[in-house]
Amino acid sequence: MLGGSCACGAVAFELHGPLRPVFGCHCTTCRKTSGHFWAATAVASEGLILRHEEALGWFRSSVTSERGFCRSCGSSLFYRVDGAAQISVAAGALDGDTGLHTAMHIFTADMGDYYGLEDGVSRCSGGVSPDVLALGEGS
Ligand SMILES: [Zn+2]
Ligand SMILES: [Zn+2]
């Protein structure tokens, strides 16, 4: 089990069950909402247990998806696609060592010109199919 929270603690949560490796998304919306790029693991929807959620707000960022954030401190925390069985969780919101690694960077065609990416991590200039982003069996 991993715990996490926003910067002010008004939103706190636990993640239970297998976690997806971290994906970095460099699309324009992720850059705007995160302030840099969005790095997230993912967990089955029922594996996200909210411990404090009074300040949790949701922003509809596309026709089919929304993003969860803290209305008090503004931290970007969650991303979910309508009807999906999993939810993405900001890797930076997790407490302590995660045991996770970054598996891929996506939408790199939209990345900023002020940073680079580490070698040895695969990249995709655009999006990838949902099954690539899905939680693998027992992963
Ligand atoms: Zn907060
Ligand atoms: Zn994105």
Side-chain angles (χ1 to χ4, degrees), residues 54-97:
E54 306 79 41
L56 178 59
W58 289 93
F59 162 64
R60 184 144 286 273
S61 56
S62 81
V63 200
T64 56
S65 63
E66 57 185 358
R67 293 166 193 259
F69 61 96
C70 175
R71 291 196 307 263
S72 178
C73 69
S75 300
S76 296
L77 297 169
F78 307 121
Y79 169 82
R80 67 183 174 199
V81 175
D82 298 343
Q86 68 183 56
I87 184 165
S88 294
V89 179
L94 302 175
D95 297 320
D97 291 336

Side-chain angles (χ1 to χ4, degrees), residues 5 32 42 46 52 62 71 86 88 93 96 103 116 124 138:
S5 73
K32 296 278 188 187
E46 63 271 19
H52 297 288
S62 81
R71 291 196 307 263
Q86 68 183 56
S88 294
C124 182

